[in-house]
Amino acid sequence: MSMNALPAIAYDRAERMLLHNRSRLALRAKAKPVWIGGGERFWYRVETERGGEFVLVDPAAGTRGPAFDPERLAAALASAAGQPVQPYALPFRAVEFADGTVAFDAFGARWTCRLADYRCARDEKHAEPSPLEVASPDKKWAAFRRDHDLWVRSAETGEEFALTADGTADRSYAAHPDAAVPTHLLGKLGLADMPPALLWSPDSARILTHRTDQSDVALMHLVEAVPPDGGRPRLRSYHYPVPGEPMTCGEWIVFDVASRTVTPAKTDPFLLPYMSPVTLKKAWWAKDSTAVYYLDQPRDLRTLRLHALDPATGEVRTLVEEHGDTRVEAAQEITQKPIVHVLAGGRETLWYSQRDGWGHLYRYEDGELVEQLTRGPFAVQQIVHVDEAERVAYAVVSGLVP
């Protein structure tokens, strides 16, 4: 074999290992159900020998089959959009079913297709939301970052107003640490920034976010040797801590949109080593909007704490605290949603722990361990639903089937 052939073989091997190709090596490996309307039917997308297929399931009727005819839909979309469309490589991965139609986003627009005759039309009234804005649950407001401050826009009037005015490059609101921002990739996508790290309360009255403090973090320097638009090499500098150096910190803040008041959390700043806890789903609102819950860890990751933040006063109390000789985790994987559920009223908590060697659920009340809810050689992966009236929790586990 000639040396010239080696790079081609290496690139071919790398191509086969890309995510969109690896998913086809394990067919029908994952199915994420998406319930339709009131929850009588659901659909999911799955990789098969032919490619991606959409499946519709009716549990009550005990039926499962194609959600639509992919060949007819592909032909209809290709005719309407003037673009080539492959039936088992459709240009979308999510759909919405309603009144005999299926809607989806493709080719930079929203499309609706009638399943009775497979006529696809572009939805001219549908406005594509900006990836750099976060809409409130009632769709009346949109929160976004401008420079280093947090702003809000009214969807009804278009009025914009700032919730902060003291943001700086080193202390910016709703921002991710520099180390987590893929600046080069964002530039290729035509985006100036990452989506803001914030959470609207369920009643759309308040916003939870953090002020990202990188003032003590040293700069890392890179040289872009060949800029995309040509010219001389450019210096790219960003905050990036290395072991032993100060890390980025965050300060929790709650904003009341109507009164434009600010309520900082009455607690010490938390470590923000990489992605925002908002992005990692390590912070969330109570369903009734009366509290914020968030997870916090020290630098050695051997302690995990669950805190409750009062959005009206800024008071913070600790609900659960666990220590370990090794890293204490809130789920099986770092990108997995924490397996934690706080019951209404905030006194009881379902808490995930690997303290007995397996990932199991424990119940805490007023900060004290009451009982272990699951045990055995299997791992809890997700809390699906908690029926507080019946005192029953439904969970997804792995390892029960050999």
Side-chain angles (χ1 to χ4, degrees):
M1 180 183 297
S2 69
M3 295 299 295
N4 291 334
L6 288 177
I9 294 174
Y11 275 108
D12 181 63
R13 183 185 299 116
E15 170 69 21
R16 292 199 304 271
M17 292 305 296
L18 290 175
L19 180 61
H20 67 277
N21 287 328
R22 283 192 288 115
S23 63
R24 293 171 185 162
L25 298 178
L27 302 178
R28 299 177 176 85
K30 291 185 178 181
K32 182 179 179 180
V34 181
W35 291 95
I36 301 171
E40 296 180 355
R41 300 180 301 160
F42 66 85
W43 66 268
Y44 64 89
R45 184 185 181 278
V46 65
E47 289 291 339
T48 70
E49 295 83 356
R50 294 185 292 189
E53 297 188 35
F54 290 82
V55 181
L56 184 64
V57 179
D58 188 329
T63 60
R64 180 182 64 185
F68 46 77
D69 186 326
E71 295 188 0
R72 293 185 66 185
L73 190 144
L77 179 59
S79 175
Q83 300 272 5
V85 180
Q86 299 298 322
Y88 297 101
L90 294 168
F92 53 85
R93 300 180 67 90
V95 293
E96 292 182 9
F97 292 94
D99 301 326
T101 66
V102 58
F104 48 84
D105 295 321
F107 306 123
R110 183 75 165 180
W111 300 88
T112 301
C113 185
R114 292 193 319 217
L115 298 181
D117 55 8
Y118 282 88
R119 292 179 61 88
C120 289
R122 181 169 179 165
D123 187 350
E124 301 294 346
K125 296 181 180 180
H126 180 80
E128 190 70 21
S130 169
L132 301 182
E133 297 182 352
V134 179
S136 60
D138 61 8
K139 308 301 181 185
K140 293 183 178 180
W141 304 97
F144 59 96
R145 280 166 35 86
R146 178 170 291 165
D147 296 326
H148 305 291
D149 287 300
L150 184 62
W151 287 65
V152 170
R153 178 189 301 109
S154 168
E156 297 175 351
T157 65
E159 176 195 5
E160 297 179 349
F161 56 87
L163 292 175
T164 66
D166 58 344
T168 65
D170 287 343
R171 302 188 72 220
S172 184
Y173 291 93
H176 300 271
D178 284 359
V181 180
T183 306
H184 188 71
L185 176 60
L186 291 174
K188 287 185 173 294
L189 297 175
L191 299 175
D193 199 358
M194 293 271 284
L198 60 87
L199 287 173
W200 283 93
S201 59
D203 61 6
S204 300
R206 293 185 172 106
I207 295 174
L208 169 73
T209 188
H210 52 74
R211 190 174 189 179
T212 305
D213 187 353
Q214 303 182 100
S215 57
D216 292 332
V217 181
L219 292 175
M220 180 71 74
H221 305 284
L222 300 177
V223 175
E224 189 174 13
V226 185
D229 56 353
R232 297 177 62 83
R234 296 173 186 167
L235 180 67
R236 304 290 188 184
S237 301
Y238 60 104
H239 295 91
Y240 189 95
V242 299
E245 293 183 349
M247 297 172 62
T248 302
C249 291
E251 306 163 69
W252 288 115
I253 303 173
V254 177
F255 296 94
D256 187 294
V257 176
S259 64
R260 306 187 188 183
T261 54
V262 181
T263 303
K266 296 178 181 179
T267 186
D268 295 332
F270 62 92
L271 291 179
L272 191 50
Y274 194 60
M275 296 295 291
S276 165
V278 171
T279 303
L280 296 175
K281 296 181 174 58
K282 292 185 177 181
W284 64 96
W285 282 91
K287 290 184 178 180
D288 61 2
S289 302
T290 60
V292 169
Y293 302 111
Y294 66 92
L295 295 169
D296 184 25
Q297 285 189 289
R299 190 163 187 165
D300 65 6
L301 304 181
R302 295 183 181 185
T303 299
L304 182 63
R305 301 182 183 91
L306 172 65
H307 300 290
L309 165 63
D310 187 328
T313 65
E315 296 291 340
V316 175
R317 59 191 177 95
T318 302
L319 300 183
V320 179
E321 182 171 339
E322 180 178 349
H323 306 277
D325 295 331
T326 58
R327 183 172 59 192
V328 180
E329 299 172 314
Q332 294 280 320
E333 302 175 22
I334 189 173
T335 58
Q336 192 175 352
K337 180 180 178 181
I339 309 173
V340 179
H341 182 92
V342 182
L343 277 66
R347 292 189 57 192
E348 291 184 279
T349 302
L350 303 186
W351 179 257
Y352 169 89
S353 173
Q354 298 174 333
R355 66 188 64 176
D356 72 350
W358 295 87
H360 284 301
L361 290 180
Y362 298 77
R363 183 171 69 89
Y364 281 76
E365 187 170 348
D366 294 330
E368 299 295 329
L369 175 62
V370 177
E371 59 181 326
Q372 183 174 350
L373 297 176
T374 63
R375 63 178 69 245
F378 62 90
V380 175
Q381 296 286 352
Q382 179 186 3
I383 298 174
V384 181
H385 175 67
V386 176
D387 188 330
E388 297 191 25
E390 297 294 331
R391 305 287 293 175
V392 175
Y394 298 85
V396 174
V397 304
S398 61
L400 287 180
V401 180

